[in-house]
Amino acid sequence: MATSIRFWTGRQALDGRAVCYRDAWESVGTGDGDTFCAGSPYVADWDWPYRRIDYILIRCGLTGGPTLSIADCRRVFDGPNDTGSDHYGVLADLQPPPAKPD
């Protein structure tokens, strides 16, 4: 995982500062979530270190949880004719958080 993603997800401070965003894929996605893969017909280097390079990050509130409910997260545009890019997309279904009981 890149240093920038470790910072944004609260795993690493930078110059004494820290933030916390929730990674939608880590919350509800299945599988490795790689978006830069050898399966894409547009990948030029067959021996590149493939991994996930696309993220959807949701801001966390004061209690540490995400400010939106993450109902689903999946890789998209990953069929053989679905993309014009060398990496696939990520789609998340985000919803307002459940109402707090009175």
Side-chain angles (χ1 to χ4, degrees):
M1 179 180 292
T3 302
S4 58
I5 298 300
R6 286 195 308 269
F7 170 75
W8 287 112
T9 56
R11 293 179 173 99
Q12 179 176 335
L14 181 61
D15 291 331
R17 295 176 189 250
V19 297
C20 183
Y21 287 78
R22 184 68 52 91
D23 177 3
W25 189 273
E26 281 186 0
S27 294
V28 299
T30 57
D32 59 20
D34 288 354
T35 56
F36 187 68
C37 313
S40 171
Y42 299 100
V43 170
D45 294 324
W46 60 270
D47 65 344
W48 190 263
Y50 300 110
R51 63 180 191 211
R52 183 159 62 114
I53 62 171
D54 299 276
Y55 294 83
I56 296 176
L57 302 174
I58 297 91
R59 183 176 58 91
C60 291
L62 296 176
T63 60
T67 54
L68 295 170
S69 292
I70 308 164
D72 186 40
C73 188
R74 69 179 76 112
R75 196 171 74 177
V76 294
F77 306 120
D78 58 355
N81 300 313
D82 288 346
T83 182
S85 176
D86 62 354
H87 57 101
Y88 302 131
V90 178
L91 175 70
D93 180 2
L94 305 175
Q95 301 173 358
K100 295 180 183 179
D102 290 332

